[in-house]
Amino acid sequence: MSEEPRPTGADLEPGEQARADVYRLLGALLAGPPDAALIGLLRDIRPPEDARESTMAAAWRGLQAAAEGADPHRLQDEYFNLFIGLGRGELVPYASFYIHGLLMEKILASLRETLAQLGIERQAGVAEPEDHAAAVCEIMGMIISTHSLHLRQAAFFEDYVASWLGRFFTDLDKAEAADFYRSVAQLGQQFMAVEQRYFSLPG
């Protein structure tokens, strides 16, 4: 979606890198139907030993199981029906829609202004507005893993993630066209709950 400032993340804590990686994975899955390579990576997911009984680990196992039987051609149809459709998909994966009920609303203008302040530029050839769920996830992962932006993550989460992305994943979980993407939704729901707790911790 965007070009990021040069990361200096060699000193990034493993937990922070893991959070950034989950955001980037969700962004990749929401940007388009996963190809065979990404499906292969999902099949190799192994939750940490100390998290086998957690709800987050259960969501990871569900995504892995969904990847085991996934067919790339069927995923293309599922993605189309969910997010594109003939005229409109079953879901509208934009912050503007969830917050204002319409597309291209003031949250998008605010997001674009924030991205300019952060030095994050839109890549040429990208058609989707910056408030698409995939782009928001990608940007959040970028902010976490880029040393110069790391301290801005709480504000970005509060302004552009917490207000709507959890509701989007809840709707995706309930969508009639969702099969593989139901497991993506459940991972997203659990991860948003983890992130809410993370940002509610004192200093």
Side-chain angles (χ1 to χ4, degrees):
M1 195 292 291
S2 50
E3 296 179 359
E4 61 184 287
R6 182 179 295 275
T8 56
D11 57 347
L12 194 66
E13 295 180 2
E16 294 292 274
Q17 187 61 61
R19 292 177 53 237
D21 289 345
V22 176
Y23 274 113
R24 284 184 163 126
L25 174 62
L26 289 170
L29 291 168
L30 294 171
D35 58 16
L38 182 50
I39 292 170
L41 289 175
L42 295 176
R43 289 171 179 164
D44 292 334
I45 289 171
R46 294 294 182 270
E49 291 290 330
D50 60 354
R52 284 185 173 176
E53 303 307 319
S54 72
T55 53
M56 188 72 182
W60 278 117
R61 288 194 296 270
L63 183 58
Q64 182 185 41
E68 289 290 345
D71 175 87
H73 297 292
R74 290 184 178 179
L75 287 176
Q76 290 178 7
D77 291 339
E78 182 178 345
Y79 187 90
F80 179 86
N81 292 329
L82 283 169
F83 305 119
I84 301 172
L86 297 174
R88 200 188 96 171
E90 188 174 349
L91 300 179
V92 183
Y94 299 94
S96 292
F97 182 83
Y98 273 83
I99 294 171
H100 304 296
L102 297 169
L103 297 178
M104 307 293 286
E105 282 295 316
K106 59 184 179 181
I107 190 68
L108 176 58
S110 174
L111 175 58
R112 286 174 170 168
E113 182 177 349
T114 296
L115 294 179
Q117 293 170 355
L118 296 175
I120 298 175
E121 299 180 358
R122 182 184 178 90
Q123 283 184 341
V126 175
E128 294 289 359
E130 294 87 337
D131 66 335
H132 189 284
V136 171
C137 287
E138 180 186 342
I139 294 164
M140 189 68 191
M142 184 187 304
I143 290 171
I144 293 169
S145 59
T146 302
H147 183 72
S148 61
L149 303 180
H150 190 74
L151 295 178
R152 303 290 296 273
Q153 63 174 294
F156 190 89
F157 181 83
E158 180 65 26
D159 292 343
Y160 303 111
V161 180
S163 56
W164 74 283
L165 199 56
R167 289 187 287 137
F168 164 75
F169 283 123
T170 297
D171 289 346
L172 179 56
D173 189 21
K174 299 175 182 176
E176 290 185 7
D179 183 16
F180 170 85
Y181 272 91
R182 184 160 289 110
S183 65
V184 176
Q186 290 167 0
L187 177 66
Q189 287 175 300
Q190 293 302 324
F191 185 56
M192 286 298 102
V194 169
E195 287 289 274
Q196 291 281 6
R197 291 195 295 270
Y198 175 86
F199 287 111
S200 68
L201 294 172

